[in-house]
Amino acid sequence: MPPLSSGQQGGEGRWQPLEVPWTHTNIPPQCVQPCCRPLCYEQSEHRLHKSSQMKMEEMSLSGLDNSKLEAIAQEIYADLVEDSCLGFCFEVHRAVKCGYFFLDDTDPESMKDFEIVDQPGLDIFGQVFNQWKSKECVCPNCSRSIAASRFAPHLEKCLGMGRNSSRIANRRIANSNNMNKSESDQEDNDDINDNDWSYGSEKKAKKRKSDKNPNSPRRSKSLKHKNGFSVCTSASNTLPLLFSSSGELSNSDPFKYNNSTGISYETLGPEELRSLLTTQCGVISEHTKKMCTRSLRCPQHTDEQRRTVRIYFLGSSAVLPEVESSLDNDSFDMTDSQALISRLQWDGSSDLSPSDSGSSKTSENQGWGLGTNSSESRKTKKKKSHLSLVGTASGLGSNKKKKPKPPAPPTPSIYDDIN
Amino acid sequence: MGRAEGNRKVNGTEGERVPPLPTCVKFQLVSKMNKDAQMRAAINQKLIETGERERLKELLRAKLIECGWKDQLKAHCKEVIKEKGLEHVTVDDLVAEITPKGRALVPDSVKKELLQRIRTFLAQHASL
């Protein structure tokens, strides 16, 4: 619109342009009807908002119409599908324009190379399954033909390189050393026992059981070394025990543990028993019915188990040798030994069979009542405070891996007796 | 041109000069006619606000890829492009060719599941 000068006259009815923008304060004269007056932005917004609110309320009532809802659902679905299609189109178009649309196409010749194979005996790549199982290799060291999957471990053992083979070799050396030693220090062995206990070594100990010949001369030699006292008891049938020498056991290699190196207390005299019990753990194993030959601090058995065994063997006055104040090795005389023998020959069906683990007979309690009372008073050095008979009965027979804190080690002078 | 002039619209097809409706009347008429549209708009708004629309879109996308719709459509695209020539493909061409095919290729199971979810949403939010 060409701007006219203000001085121009519009008297002839010529329409005059507005030079001043209209506001709500400056209402143009042409439109003065109240409903049609132009609104400013804020006012129109406000009106719209109010009306839309009204519409929402009306909508909730009419929206419950099922067909309408269904139609709306269809529309929404159509919108979503259209969105997806459009999105796809844009992706394709971009790929075309950037030039990577046809990149994943391969020529037909290459396609044939990588076709999926569907023949019996082959996998989808065309390779033979289990090709390496049947193949055999020749070991360069020992010139044997070994299966391919077993080749690497065999080579490790054969060449003597690798972790496992060196471990086994070291163990073998240690074992042979210990077998040769007959005057070895008990304490040292015990130390090694304590430090190196492991599951694998126990397995080895079990394996080695067959190595021992019960009739070997060494055994009888050590038996003579002790004052030849052997008691064959006609003890109850619940105590089937094999005889094995204690001397050898105390010297045995540090990696052999309970089950194969136990002592049968049936054939040991009271003197031997007593001296044994002062130096060794002595807890009777449930599995082999043998006494444990590990040190007095052996972690496999608790002090209570040891105390129970000593009470069983040596009567109510039995004392664990760790309690140094009441060591009474020298006071043991023959009268007591008679009593002890009679005790050992006692038909222990009711009370004292340690193999009845978990048995809670009252007679058992009574039989040990004296013992427990007297031994309870000597608990000065014990770390565990409770003494339950049933617990000890069950614990006696089992090889649980309890680890009580070791009491003070006994003096080495005692060990010389055994050896 | 003044504002009053601007209100003068040619309503009828004959080109007659129909006096323009006052704004307030027009406003109410439009809103009544478009009540459904308003409702749809409100529902759409609700869809977006709760994030349900995005979830539905992702669900649809995933399902379409799973069922192979995308690959089918891609093969069709390749044909179209080869036909038209790689250099002369435009978005409009693609859209025009592909969208109807795409709509038709959606499997029924996907369609049913999506409709079910939309209906559930509407049932939850119908009484706003």
Coordinates of all heavy atoms in Angstrom, one line a residue, chain A residues 26-80:
Chain A
N26 N -6.9 1.1 20.8 CA -7.1 1.9 19.7 C -7.9 1.2 18.7 O -7.4 0.6 17.7 CB -5.8 2.4 19.1 CG -5.9 3.2 17.8 OD1 -7.0 3.6 17.5 ND2 -4.9 3.3 17.1
I27 N -9.2 1.1 19.0 CA -10.0 0.2 18.1 C -10.3 0.9 16.8 O -10.7 2.1 16.8 CB -11.3 -0.1 18.9 CG1 -11.0 -0.8 20.2 CG2 -12.3 -0.9 18.0 CD1 -12.2 -0.8 21.2
P28 N -10.1 0.2 15.8 CA -10.4 0.9 14.5 C -11.9 1.1 14.4 O -12.7 0.3 14.9 CB -9.9 -0.1 13.4 CG -9.8 -1.4 14.2 CD -9.6 -1.1 15.6
P29 N -12.2 2.2 13.8 CA -13.7 2.5 13.8 C -14.6 1.6 13.1 O -15.8 1.5 13.3 CB -13.7 3.9 13.2 CG -12.4 4.0 12.4 CD -11.4 3.1 13.1
Q30 N -14.0 0.8 12.1 CA -14.8 0.0 11.2 C -15.5 -1.1 12.0 O -16.6 -1.5 11.6 CB -14.0 -0.6 10.1 CG -13.6 0.4 9.0 CD -12.3 1.0 9.4 OE1 -11.8 0.8 10.5 NE2 -11.8 1.8 8.5
C31 N -14.9 -1.6 13.0 CA -15.5 -2.8 13.6 C -15.8 -2.5 15.1 O -14.9 -2.5 15.9 CB -14.6 -4.0 13.5 SG -15.3 -5.5 14.1
V32 N -17.0 -2.2 15.4 CA -17.3 -1.8 16.8 C -18.2 -2.8 17.4 O -18.6 -2.6 18.6 CB -17.9 -0.3 16.8 CG1 -16.8 0.7 16.5 CG2 -19.1 -0.2 15.9
Q33 N -18.7 -3.8 16.7 CA -19.6 -4.8 17.4 C -18.8 -5.5 18.4 O -17.6 -5.9 18.2 CB -20.1 -5.8 16.3 CG -21.0 -5.2 15.3 CD -21.3 -6.1 14.2 OE1 -21.2 -7.3 14.4 NE2 -21.6 -5.6 13.0
P34 N -19.4 -5.7 19.6 CA -18.6 -6.2 20.7 C -18.1 -7.6 20.5 O -17.0 -7.9 20.9 CB -19.6 -6.2 21.9 CG -20.9 -6.1 21.3 CD -20.7 -5.4 20.0
C35 N -18.9 -8.5 19.8 CA -18.4 -9.8 19.7 C -17.3 -10.0 18.7 O -16.6 -10.9 18.7 CB -19.5 -10.8 19.4 SG -20.7 -10.9 20.7
C36 N -17.3 -9.1 17.7 CA -16.4 -9.3 16.6 C -15.1 -8.4 16.8 O -14.3 -8.4 15.9 CB -17.0 -8.8 15.3 SG -18.2 -10.0 14.8
R37 N -15.0 -7.8 18.0 CA -13.8 -7.0 18.0 C -12.5 -7.8 18.0 O -12.5 -8.9 18.6 CB -13.9 -6.1 19.2 CG -13.7 -6.8 20.5 CD -13.7 -5.8 21.7 NE -13.4 -6.5 22.9 CZ -14.3 -7.1 23.7 NH1 -15.6 -7.1 23.3 NH2 -13.9 -7.7 24.8
P38 N -11.6 -7.3 17.3 CA -10.3 -8.1 17.3 C -9.7 -8.2 18.7 O -9.7 -7.2 19.4 CB -9.4 -7.3 16.3 CG -10.2 -6.2 15.8 CD -11.5 -6.1 16.6
L39 N -9.2 -9.3 19.0 CA -8.6 -9.6 20.3 C -7.1 -9.5 20.2 O -6.6 -9.9 19.2 CB -9.1 -10.9 20.8 CG -10.6 -11.1 20.9 CD1 -10.8 -12.6 21.2 CD2 -11.1 -10.3 22.1
C40 N -6.5 -9.1 21.3 CA -5.1 -9.2 21.3 C -4.7 -10.7 21.5 O -5.5 -11.5 21.8 CB -4.5 -8.3 22.3 SG -4.8 -8.9 24.0
Y41 N -3.4 -10.9 21.4 CA -3.0 -12.3 21.4 C -3.3 -13.0 22.7 O -3.8 -14.1 22.8 CB -1.5 -12.3 21.2 CG -0.9 -13.7 21.1 CD1 -1.2 -14.5 20.0 CD2 -0.2 -14.2 22.2 CE1 -0.7 -15.8 20.0 CE2 0.3 -15.5 22.1 CZ 0.1 -16.3 21.0 OH 0.5 -17.6 21.0
E42 N -3.1 -12.3 23.8 CA -3.3 -13.0 25.1 C -4.7 -13.3 25.3 O -5.1 -14.4 25.8 CB -2.8 -12.0 26.3 CG -1.4 -11.8 26.4 CD -0.9 -10.6 25.6 OE1 -1.8 -9.9 25.0 OE2 0.3 -10.3 25.7
Q43 N -5.6 -12.4 24.9 CA -7.0 -12.6 25.2 C -7.5 -13.8 24.3 O -8.3 -14.6 24.8 CB -7.8 -11.4 24.8 CG -7.7 -10.3 25.9 CD -8.5 -9.1 25.6 OE1 -8.9 -8.9 24.5 NE2 -8.9 -8.4 26.6
S44 N -7.0 -13.9 23.1 CA -7.5 -15.0 22.2 C -7.0 -16.3 22.8 O -7.7 -17.3 22.8 CB -7.0 -14.8 20.8 OG -5.6 -14.8 20.7
E45 N -5.8 -16.3 23.2 CA -5.2 -17.6 23.8 C -6.1 -18.0 25.0 O -6.4 -19.2 25.2 CB -3.8 -17.3 24.3 CG -2.7 -17.5 23.3 CD -2.5 -19.0 23.0 OE1 -2.3 -19.7 24.0 OE2 -2.6 -19.4 21.9
H46 N -6.4 -17.1 25.8 CA -7.2 -17.4 27.0 C -8.5 -18.0 26.7 O -9.0 -18.9 27.2 CB -7.3 -16.1 27.8 CG -8.1 -16.2 29.1 ND1 -7.7 -17.0 30.1 CD2 -9.3 -15.8 29.5 CE1 -8.5 -17.0 31.1 NE2 -9.5 -16.3 30.8
R47 N -9.1 -17.4 25.6 CA -10.4 -17.9 25.2 C -10.3 -19.3 24.7 O -11.1 -20.1 25.0 CB -11.0 -16.9 24.1 CG -12.2 -16.3 24.5 CD -12.9 -15.7 23.4 NE -14.2 -15.2 23.7 CZ -15.0 -14.6 22.9 NH1 -14.6 -14.5 21.6 NH2 -16.2 -14.2 23.2
L48 N -9.3 -19.5 23.9 CA -9.1 -20.8 23.3 C -8.9 -21.8 24.4 O -9.5 -22.9 24.3 CB -7.9 -20.8 22.4 CG -8.2 -20.9 20.9 CD1 -6.9 -20.8 20.1 CD2 -8.8 -22.3 20.6
H49 N -8.1 -21.5 25.3 CA -7.8 -22.4 26.4 C -9.1 -22.8 27.1 O -9.4 -24.0 27.4 CB -6.8 -21.8 27.3 CG -6.3 -22.7 28.4 ND1 -5.6 -23.9 28.1 CD2 -6.5 -22.7 29.7 CE1 -5.3 -24.5 29.2 NE2 -5.8 -23.8 30.2
K50 N -9.9 -21.8 27.5 CA -11.1 -22.1 28.2 C -12.0 -23.0 27.4 O -12.6 -23.9 27.9 CB -11.8 -20.8 28.5 CG -11.6 -20.3 30.0 CD -12.7 -19.5 30.5 CE -12.6 -18.1 29.9 NZ -13.5 -17.1 30.5
S51 N -12.1 -22.7 26.1 CA -13.0 -23.5 25.3 C -12.5 -24.9 25.1 O -13.3 -25.8 25.1 CB -13.2 -22.8 24.0 OG -12.0 -22.7 23.3
S52 N -11.2 -25.0 25.0 CA -10.7 -26.4 24.9 C -10.9 -27.2 26.1 O -11.2 -28.4 26.1 CB -9.2 -26.3 24.5 OG -8.5 -25.9 25.6
Q53 N -10.8 -26.5 27.3 CA -11.1 -27.2 28.5 C -12.5 -27.7 28.5 O -12.8 -28.9 28.9 CB -10.9 -26.3 29.7 CG -9.5 -26.3 30.2 CD -9.3 -25.5 31.4 OE1 -10.1 -24.5 31.6 NE2 -8.3 -25.7 32.1
M54 N -13.4 -26.8 28.1 CA -14.8 -27.3 28.0 C -15.0 -28.5 27.1 O -15.7 -29.4 27.3 CB -15.7 -26.1 27.4 CG -16.2 -25.2 28.5 SD -17.3 -23.9 28.0 CE -17.2 -23.8 26.3
K55 N -14.2 -28.4 26.0 CA -14.3 -29.5 25.0 C -13.8 -30.8 25.6 O -14.4 -31.8 25.3 CB -13.5 -29.1 23.8 CG -14.0 -27.9 23.0 CD -15.5 -28.0 22.6 CE -16.0 -26.7 22.3 NZ -16.9 -26.1 23.4
M56 N -12.8 -30.7 26.4 CA -12.3 -31.9 27.0 C -13.3 -32.6 27.8 O -13.5 -33.8 27.8 CB -11.1 -31.6 27.9 CG -9.9 -31.0 27.1 SD -8.8 -32.2 26.5 CE -7.7 -32.3 27.8
E57 N -14.1 -31.8 28.6 CA -15.1 -32.4 29.4 C -16.1 -33.1 28.6 O -16.6 -34.2 28.8 CB -15.7 -31.4 30.3 CG -14.8 -30.9 31.4 CD -15.1 -29.5 31.9 OE1 -16.2 -29.1 31.6 OE2 -14.3 -28.9 32.6
E58 N -16.5 -32.4 27.6 CA -17.5 -33.0 26.7 C -17.0 -34.2 26.1 O -17.7 -35.2 25.8 CB -18.0 -32.0 25.6 CG -18.8 -30.8 26.2 CD -19.0 -29.7 25.2 OE1 -18.9 -30.1 24.0 OE2 -19.2 -28.6 25.5
M59 N -15.7 -34.2 25.8 CA -15.1 -35.3 25.0 C -15.2 -36.6 25.9 O -15.4 -37.7 25.3 CB -13.7 -35.0 24.7 CG -13.2 -35.7 23.6 SD -11.6 -34.9 23.1 CE -11.0 -34.4 24.6
S60 N -15.0 -36.5 27.2 CA -14.9 -37.7 27.9 C -16.2 -38.5 27.9 O -16.2 -39.7 27.9 CB -14.5 -37.4 29.4 OG -15.6 -36.6 29.9
L61 N -17.3 -37.8 27.8 CA -18.5 -38.5 27.7 C -18.7 -39.2 26.4 O -19.1 -40.3 26.3 CB -19.7 -37.5 28.0 CG -19.6 -36.8 29.3 CD1 -20.6 -35.7 29.4 CD2 -19.9 -37.8 30.4
S62 N -18.4 -38.5 25.3 CA -18.6 -39.0 24.0 C -17.5 -40.0 23.6 O -17.7 -40.8 22.7 CB -18.8 -37.9 23.0 OG -17.5 -37.2 23.0
G63 N -16.4 -39.9 24.3 CA -15.3 -40.8 23.9 C -15.5 -42.2 24.2 O -14.8 -43.1 23.8
L64 N -16.5 -42.5 25.0 CA -16.7 -43.9 25.4 C -17.4 -44.7 24.4 O -17.6 -45.9 24.5 CB -17.6 -43.9 26.7 CG -16.9 -43.3 28.0 CD1 -17.8 -43.3 29.1 CD2 -15.7 -44.2 28.3
D65 N -17.7 -44.1 23.3 CA -18.3 -44.8 22.2 C -17.3 -45.7 21.6 O -16.3 -45.3 21.1 CB -18.8 -43.7 21.2 CG -19.8 -44.3 20.2 OD1 -19.9 -45.6 20.2 OD2 -20.3 -43.6 19.4
N66 N -17.7 -46.9 21.5 CA -16.7 -48.0 21.1 C -16.3 -47.8 19.7 O -15.1 -48.0 19.3 CB -17.3 -49.4 21.3 CG -17.0 -49.9 22.7 OD1 -16.1 -49.3 23.4 ND2 -17.6 -50.9 23.2
S67 N -17.2 -47.6 18.8 CA -16.9 -47.5 17.4 C -15.9 -46.3 17.2 O -15.0 -46.5 16.4 CB -18.1 -47.3 16.6 OG -18.8 -46.1 16.9
K68 N -16.2 -45.3 17.9 CA -15.2 -44.1 17.7 C -13.9 -44.5 18.3 O -12.9 -44.2 17.6 CB -15.8 -42.9 18.5 CG -16.8 -42.2 17.8 CD -17.0 -40.8 18.4 CE -18.3 -40.2 17.8 NZ -19.0 -39.3 18.6
L69 N -13.9 -45.2 19.4 CA -12.6 -45.6 19.9 C -11.8 -46.5 18.9 O -10.6 -46.4 18.7 CB -12.8 -46.3 21.3 CG -12.9 -45.5 22.5 CD1 -13.1 -46.3 23.7 CD2 -11.6 -44.6 22.7
E70 N -12.6 -47.4 18.4 CA -12.0 -48.3 17.4 C -11.4 -47.5 16.2 O -10.3 -47.8 15.7 CB -13.0 -49.3 17.0 CG -12.5 -50.4 16.1 CD -11.4 -51.3 16.8 OE1 -11.5 -51.4 18.0 OE2 -10.5 -51.7 16.1
A71 N -12.2 -46.6 15.8 CA -11.8 -45.8 14.6 C -10.5 -45.0 15.0 O -9.5 -45.0 14.2 CB -12.9 -44.8 14.2
I72 N -10.5 -44.5 16.2 CA -9.3 -43.8 16.7 C -8.1 -44.7 16.7 O -7.0 -44.4 16.3 CB -9.5 -43.1 18.0 CG1 -10.6 -42.0 17.8 CG2 -8.3 -42.6 18.6 CD1 -11.0 -41.4 19.1
A73 N -8.3 -45.9 17.2 CA -7.2 -46.9 17.3 C -6.7 -47.2 16.0 O -5.5 -47.2 15.7 CB -7.7 -48.2 18.0
Q74 N -7.6 -47.4 15.0 CA -7.1 -47.7 13.7 C -6.3 -46.5 13.1 O -5.3 -46.7 12.4 CB -8.3 -47.9 12.7 CG -9.1 -49.2 13.1 CD -8.4 -50.4 12.5 OE1 -7.5 -50.3 11.7 NE2 -8.8 -51.6 13.0
E75 N -6.8 -45.3 13.4 CA -6.0 -44.2 12.9 C -4.6 -44.1 13.5 O -3.7 -43.8 12.8 CB -6.8 -42.9 13.3 CG -7.8 -42.5 12.2 CD -8.3 -41.1 12.5 OE1 -7.5 -40.3 13.1 OE2 -9.4 -40.8 12.1
I76 N -4.6 -44.3 14.8 CA -3.3 -44.3 15.5 C -2.4 -45.3 14.8 O -1.2 -45.1 14.6 CB -3.4 -44.5 17.0 CG1 -4.2 -43.3 17.6 CG2 -2.1 -44.6 17.6 CD1 -4.5 -43.6 19.0
Y77 N -2.9 -46.5 14.6 CA -2.1 -47.6 14.0 C -1.6 -47.2 12.7 O -0.4 -47.4 12.3 CB -2.9 -48.9 14.0 CG -2.4 -49.9 13.1 CD1 -1.3 -50.7 13.5 CD2 -2.9 -50.1 11.8 CE1 -0.7 -51.6 12.6 CE2 -2.3 -51.1 11.0 CZ -1.2 -51.8 11.4 OH -0.7 -52.7 10.6
A78 N -2.5 -46.6 11.9 CA -2.1 -46.2 10.5 C -1.0 -45.2 10.6 O -0.1 -45.2 9.8 CB -3.4 -45.7 9.8
D79 N -1.2 -44.3 11.6 CA -0.1 -43.3 11.7 C 1.2 -43.9 12.0 O 2.3 -43.5 11.4 CB -0.5 -42.3 12.9 CG -1.4 -41.2 12.4 OD1 -1.4 -40.9 11.2 OD2 -2.0 -40.5 13.3
L80 N 1.2 -44.9 12.9 CA 2.5 -45.5 13.3 C 3.1 -46.2 12.1 O 4.3 -46.1 11.9 CB 2.2 -46.5 14.4 CG 2.0 -45.8 15.8 CD1 1.5 -46.9 16.8 CD2 3.2 -45.1 16.3

